[in-house]
Amino acid sequence: MSFFFYALESIPANANPVTMIVRHLFFVMLAFLLSAMPAFAASGIDAVTVSTNAQGGQNYSVTIQILALMTMLTLLPSLLLAMTSFTRIMIVLSLLRQALGTGQAPSNQILLGLSLFLTIFIMMPVFDKVNTDAVQPYLEEKIDAPTALKNASEPFRQFMLKQTREADLEMFIRISGKAELQSADDVPFSLLLPAYVTSELKTAFQIGFIIFLPFLIIDLVVSSVLMSMGMMMLSPMVISLPFKIMLFVLADGWSLIMEMLAASFYVG
């Protein structure tokens, strides 16, 4: 573990922004791992144990800590993506592609990359606060791992609470039977996370519905014109696609979509 800290600390302070963002994300992930697995940081834990069987051979076994670490490394990226703005952005861009009717253009890789970097842009204030309040004090050994986890979770909690509908949060509180919660600050992450994801899905589909409307109107107009001309064998998609692309380009659609997605997290 100390090797990863040394490698990340060796990155110069004047490195490019993408490298610094990756460095901060790795620090946050390591802080979560260390706080959730305090026993892993203890000295004297063997990664692999060797035992001799009755036939004189050797049996090798991996410790539970290593298995838990690998499991958390697998789940942590999905957890971090669910706690950020990635869900809403990815769904909206996917619905936009369907509304345009362009098939696989842009490709899934392009949409994924665009969603990821827009997520980093939107979440940068949260990442900076996590780095200032949790990661750097922990690396300087000013606070312990549990305190670092608490400080790191607070910016995410505030961001998620701001974007979560009260109805969704109350629904999960009612299902869990924890009616004794006095305020939103008392809501545990086990309830806040599903409520946040549910709210993000609702918001994403609402935005997608609004995006669909102008393209749907174009499809209806083109289909009606073709029907009136008796050209029922010609697919309306073939005729409407150039008009939808032209409308999207003339309206500077990509800039409007990016601005709208970013503003949807800052306003409200």
Side-chain angles (χ1 to χ4, degrees):
M1 189 64 67
S2 60
F3 169 76
F4 291 102
F5 281 115
Y6 176 77
L8 293 174
E9 278 293 323
S10 62
I11 299 177
N14 58 350
N16 61 78
V18 176
T19 303
M20 297 303 298
I21 291 171
V22 173
R23 175 178 180 267
H24 290 166
L25 288 178
F26 266 109
F27 277 141
V28 173
M29 293 173 63
L30 290 176
F32 271 104
L33 289 175
L34 290 178
S35 60
M37 298 180 58
F40 180 78
S43 59
I45 296 180
D46 297 327
V48 180
T49 58
V50 182
S51 60
T52 304
N53 55 31
Q55 290 76 24
Q58 292 181 334
N59 296 328
Y60 298 89
S61 62
V62 181
T63 59
I64 299 299
Q65 288 84 359
I66 297 297
L67 295 178
L69 175 63
M70 299 305 297
T71 302
M72 292 192 65
L73 285 175
T74 303
L75 298 177
L76 193 57
S78 300
L79 183 63
L80 289 177
L81 290 179
M83 295 168 58
T84 61
S85 59
F86 181 84
T87 302
R88 182 189 305 185
I89 297 172
M90 188 63 189
I91 292 177
V92 170
L93 293 181
S94 299
L95 292 176
L96 171 63
R97 183 175 62 182
Q98 294 182 22
L100 285 171
T102 54
Q104 293 300 316
S107 64
N108 292 329
Q109 291 82 356
I110 295 177
L111 291 184
L112 182 62
L114 183 59
S115 302
L116 181 60
F117 282 101
L118 186 57
T119 298
I120 294 175
F121 169 76
I122 295 174
M123 297 296 297
M124 186 55 63
V126 178
F127 293 153
D128 288 339
K129 190 171 181 59
V130 170
N131 180 64
T132 303
D133 298 343
V135 177
Q136 294 302 325
Y138 178 77
L139 295 178
E140 296 172 0
E141 299 182 354
K142 295 181 180 179
I143 58 176
D144 54 6
T147 305
L149 175 62
K150 182 180 179 180
N151 294 344
S153 63
E154 188 60 27
F156 284 98
R157 171 185 291 275
Q158 296 299 325
F159 173 81
M160 295 166 66
L161 282 174
K162 185 177 180 181
Q163 304 299 328
T164 303
R165 290 178 172 85
E166 293 184 4
D168 296 327
L169 191 57
E170 292 175 355
M171 178 190 67
F172 281 98
I173 293 176
R174 183 176 65 253
I175 294 175
S176 65
K178 296 182 178 181
E180 68 279 2
L181 297 176
Q182 301 297 326
S183 63
D185 294 334
D186 299 330
V187 178
F189 264 98
S190 59
L191 297 181
L192 179 58
L193 185 56
Y196 170 74
V197 175
T198 303
S199 294
E200 287 296 284
L201 291 175
K202 290 182 180 180
T203 304
F205 277 94
Q206 289 176 354
I207 297 175
F209 172 76
I210 297 175
I211 293 175
F212 251 97
L213 287 180
F215 301 110
L216 179 61
I217 293 175
I218 293 177
D219 287 333
L220 291 176
V221 171
V222 171
S223 179
S224 299
V225 171
L226 292 179
M227 289 287 292
S228 63
M229 296 175 62
M231 305 175 63
M232 294 177 292
M233 299 301 294
L234 181 62
S235 175
M237 292 295 297
V238 178
I239 306 300
S240 63
L241 180 59
F243 289 99
K244 289 191 289 188
I245 294 178
M246 180 181 64
L247 173 65
F248 191 70
V249 172
L250 292 178
D252 197 11
W254 287 113
S255 297
L256 292 177
I257 293 296
M258 296 298 106
E259 182 180 2
M260 179 267 301
L261 285 173
S264 67
F265 289 96
Y266 290 112
V267 178

